[in-house]
Amino acid sequence: MNINDFVFSRQQALRYAGVGLATTAAGCATYGKAPEPASTGPADEPAAGTAAPASKVLAKTTDVPVGSGAIIDEVVVTQPSQGVFKAFSAVCTHAGCRVATVADGVINCPCHGSKFNIDGSVANGPAQKPLTSTAITVQDDSIMLA
């Protein structure tokens, strides 16, 4: 085998480059898009005359440290001060990525570096809007969606 066995025509090189570019573009097509919302159609609604389903328990109060928070499913639950709990959507308001961690009193988005305070307000952009509040209730030691 010699080097001439690996020679491509200009047309072949352009064809391979085009395939590589198309593959890269396809892989990047969904980067930064918001996740698809869950179905909210008739299957999610209680039948007429039946009680609404019980609230979903997100976490125990002991799962959420004071001055920090926890990400549970698509919700960030924080405890800014002892016994005060807040909840927000885990979807970053900048580009729709899911926030990944809560550390040192800050909610962190890995996509573009946005940071949010544990009250949901923007600590560091590029996000310009706070995280969307989510209604919760606390009963005994359970934190539930309202």
Side-chain angles (χ1 to χ4, degrees):
M1 194 178 287
N2 66 36
I3 192 76
N4 290 333
D5 292 338
F6 296 103
V7 174
F8 294 105
S9 70
R10 189 178 326 172
Q11 189 175 27
Q12 287 174 311
L14 288 173
R15 200 174 294 139
Y16 289 130
V19 169
L21 242 168
T23 303
T24 301
C28 294
T30 59
Y31 180 78
K33 288 189 178 178
E36 293 294 321
S39 171
T40 57
D44 294 340
E45 298 173 7
T50 62
S55 294
K56 178 183 176 189
V57 174
L58 291 173
K60 297 291 183 188
T61 55
T62 55
D63 296 337
V64 184
V66 176
S68 190
I71 300 170
I72 302 114
D73 298 329
E74 294 299 314
V75 179
V76 180
V77 180
T78 64
Q79 187 176 185
S81 59
Q82 182 69 42
V84 176
F85 295 91
K86 297 188 178 288
F88 309 94
S89 168
V91 177
C92 179
T93 57
H94 171 245
C97 296
R98 189 173 185 273
V99 297
T101 61
V102 182
D104 301 320
V106 179
I107 303 164
N108 301 291
C109 181
C111 292
H112 302 107
S114 290
K115 295 182 182 302
F116 300 89
N117 296 308
I118 59 174
D119 66 357
S121 64
V122 176
N124 186 45
Q128 295 182 1
K129 294 190 290 185
L131 291 174
T132 304
S133 290
T134 299
I136 57 170
T137 58
V138 178
Q139 292 181 355
D140 300 321
D141 67 343
S142 296
I143 302 169
M144 298 173 286
L145 289 175

